[in-house]
Amino acid sequence: MSKRQVNREEICVRILDAAEIEFGLKGFNGASLQHIAERASLPKANIVYYFESKLNLYKTILNRTTTIWNDVFDKATAEDDPAVVLDKFIRTKLVQSIERPRSSRIFAMEVIQGAHHIEDFLTEELQPWFKGRVAVIEAWIAQDKMKAVDPASLIFMIWSTTQHYADFESQITKLTETETLNYDALHNIGNTISQIILSGCGLQVPGTPLED
């Protein structure tokens, strides 16, 4: 990779990180390219050069978020062990909830408000991915690797349960009288969520003793 390419990637990351903060604090309508540029310590012209508009930058943030979320499950095939894949998917999403909580909240608010800015992304990119993952779960069911459950509902359940710990972190910390969610807490949370979801699918959490 050339020095120019590295420099380009570094600038894009700086812009995206700054945009995530700005959109997270002010939403799409309240955010401005000028303030994003100031957060990134870059000229506004750099943002326009790399992303063209606020809308394109916003869509890139949302696209990056879902790509990070679904990366683990994206690689799953019908030949894999569903217990291993689903357990890892759940635990990875929980870790992301404390590492990138602002990303989750931006996406949640966009969808709650009607997903008007990302309709093309949902139909052209996320929907094909979703259908592909449903097909993998259906294949696991057909091979008797797991119980016959509704694949779509299973994916929605994993998304919503894990993202809850980012979107409602302030409520969770208040009710549990903790200052913040740390990795030890998420490990224990992951044990509970994984056990509940996997047992509902007729699966055993990897690494746990087999039930009599």
Side-chain angles (χ1 to χ4, degrees):
M1 184 180 294
S2 67
K3 184 176 180 180
R4 182 176 180 180
Q5 287 174 307
V6 172
N7 186 55
R8 179 188 177 92
E9 288 190 6
E10 288 177 349
I11 291 174
C12 286
V13 169
R14 283 171 63 184
I15 293 171
L16 289 171
D17 288 345
E20 188 174 284
I21 295 172
E22 183 73 6
F23 288 129
L25 291 173
K26 302 177 183 178
F28 176 77
N29 292 329
S32 73
L33 290 183
Q34 182 59 46
H35 288 158
I36 292 170
E38 291 171 3
R39 288 183 185 281
S41 300
L42 292 167
K44 179 181 173 181
N46 279 36
I47 300 179
V48 176
Y49 175 78
Y50 287 110
F51 294 97
E52 298 182 358
S53 67
K54 183 171 77 167
L55 180 58
N56 282 341
L57 179 56
Y58 184 63
K59 288 181 176 180
T60 302
I61 289 290
L62 294 171
N63 194 335
R64 181 174 76 160
T65 297
T66 56
T67 298
I68 292 171
W69 281 350
N70 298 324
D71 182 61
V72 173
F73 199 14
D74 186 57
K75 298 176 176 63
T77 69
E79 287 69 45
D80 291 326
D81 182 342
V84 173
V85 172
L86 296 176
D87 179 70
K88 186 175 181 181
F89 188 29
I90 290 167
R91 294 178 188 277
T92 300
K93 291 265 294 82
L94 279 171
V95 170
Q96 290 166 350
S97 75
I98 65 167
E99 291 183 341
R100 307 187 71 90
R102 191 174 285 112
S103 299
S104 181
R105 292 166 195 155
I106 293 171
F107 191 87
M109 287 306 301
E110 172 63 24
V111 174
I112 288 169
Q113 293 170 1
H116 302 300
H117 298 104
I118 56 168
E119 285 185 20
D120 54 346
F121 167 73
L122 293 179
T123 56
E124 295 170 13
E125 297 187 44
L126 192 57
Q127 188 179 66
W129 178 92
F130 181 77
K131 289 182 177 179
R133 300 307 86 198
V134 165
V136 170
I137 296 172
E138 289 175 338
W140 288 337
I141 294 170
Q143 297 172 53
D144 292 325
K145 290 184 174 181
M146 59 181 286
K147 282 184 181 178
V149 299
D150 175 44
S153 295
L154 175 58
I155 296 172
F156 294 149
M157 185 179 298
I158 293 174
W159 278 349
S160 61
T161 305
T162 53
Q163 285 160 230
H164 178 87
Y165 289 89
D167 302 341
F168 294 91
E169 181 183 9
S170 58
Q171 174 180 270
I172 292 167
T173 54
K174 288 289 189 300
L175 294 178
T176 58
E177 299 181 316
T178 55
E179 292 185 5
T180 185
L181 292 174
N182 56 35
Y183 290 101
D184 288 338
L186 286 190
H187 176 74
N188 295 329
I189 293 167
N191 289 342
T192 299
I193 294 176
S194 188
Q195 181 180 15
I196 292 171
I197 292 179
L198 265 63
S199 63
C201 297
L203 301 170
Q204 189 81 17
V205 176
T208 60
L210 294 174
E211 296 179 356
D212 293 333

